[in-house]
Amino acid sequence: MFTGIVEILGKVTSIVPLDSSESGGQGFSITIGNAAEILGDCHLGDSIAVNGTCLTVTEFDKSSFKVGVAPETLRKTNL
């Protein structure tokens, strides 16, 4: 749940379309960098709020994390 506390200002470093077929979901994978401060205790499957939208971490390293974004999420949020 988003608490309204902004911890860092990350930077979108990559937006990659996922399977573009109708059955593939037509979503995107977004990588956000400059995030080392919040990733010290990160785990796969954690939820991180981005612009108030809770997104699930699918990959991460010391300074960046990746999330998957479905078309419905893009329609219903300001992402």
Side-chain angles (χ1 to χ4, degrees):
M1 173 194 231
F2 180 61
T3 63
I5 298 171
V6 176
E7 292 187 46
I8 65 160
L9 181 62
K11 179 179 179 181
V12 174
T13 59
S14 173
I15 301 174
V16 178
L18 299 175
D19 186 343
S20 61
S21 69
E22 187 66 31
S23 63
Q26 300 179 325
F28 292 87
S29 175
I30 299 175
T31 303
I32 299 175
N34 195 34
E37 294 174 46
I38 63 166
L39 297 174
D41 62 350
C42 186
H43 299 90
L44 289 180
D46 281 358
S47 183
I48 296 180
V50 177
N51 275 12
T53 303
C54 290
L55 301 173
T56 302
V57 175
T58 57
E59 293 181 31
F60 68 97
D61 59 27
K62 290 182 180 181
S63 63
S64 66
F65 64 95
K66 186 181 286 188
V67 294
V69 181
E72 184 68 6
T73 302
L74 294 173
R75 283 191 291 275
K76 299 290 185 179
T77 67
N78 66 354
L79 294 175

